[in-house]
Amino acid sequence: STYFSEAEDVNMPVSPYASTKRACELISYTYHHLYGLNVTNLRFFTVYGPRGRPDMAPYKFIDRIRRGVEIQKFGNGSTSRDYTYVDDIVDGVLRSIDRTYPYEILNLGKGKGT
């Protein structure tokens, strides 16, 4: 597997959320193919920062540590996520505006799990 790579095979998503993300990429490719539109798809990876969602892991972890409560683990604890600070996402979005690709999928993230 090519960890967090644009080359990763994502054609068999296992959640409705992942399915809709992939469907949007496929629809945008169709518009590129049929009408010659330049399309850049940006994939965000677990964005955190000010005004973030309180149900996301970083906020849950901080809240539990602050209250002295054990951090909840799921599965065997071996999973990881690619956490990306919101300012880095904004930077990536702004930089992608200035680059014209015929059709491209770009991951905006650190590129390795935490």
Side-chain angles (χ1 to χ4, degrees):
S1 174
T2 50
Y3 198 73
F4 297 128
S5 167
E6 290 88 349
E8 184 76 26
D9 182 7
V10 294
N11 289 319
M12 300 196 59
V14 295
S15 73
Y17 176 71
S19 296
T20 59
K21 288 173 66 173
R22 184 63 181 135
C24 287
E25 292 173 355
L26 293 170
I27 290 169
S28 69
Y29 179 79
T30 301
Y31 274 81
H32 160 71
H33 177 75
L34 291 175
Y35 306 111
L37 296 177
N38 293 333
V39 177
T40 301
N41 293 285
L42 302 176
R43 293 178 179 167
F44 301 167
F45 287 85
T46 317
V47 181
Y48 71 96
R51 299 185 184 176
R53 289 181 18 215
D55 63 324
M56 299 291 287
Y59 304 100
K60 286 183 172 184
F61 295 163
I62 291 168
D63 177 59
R64 286 175 174 264
I65 290 168
R66 186 180 44 214
R67 292 186 295 127
V69 177
E70 182 179 348
I71 295 176
Q72 188 177 14
K73 270 194 326 186
F74 297 93
N76 66 6
S78 66
T79 59
S80 64
R81 300 290 300 201
D82 189 353
Y83 292 98
T84 314
Y85 191 66
V86 66
D87 288 353
D88 295 329
I89 292 294
V90 171
D91 182 57
V93 170
L94 293 176
R95 288 172 186 255
S96 74
I97 292 170
D98 295 332
R99 288 164 177 78
T100 304
Y101 298 105
Y103 178 82
E104 194 69 43
I105 296 172
L106 301 174
N107 289 341
L108 295 184
K110 183 174 54 178
K112 64 179 185 174
T114 301

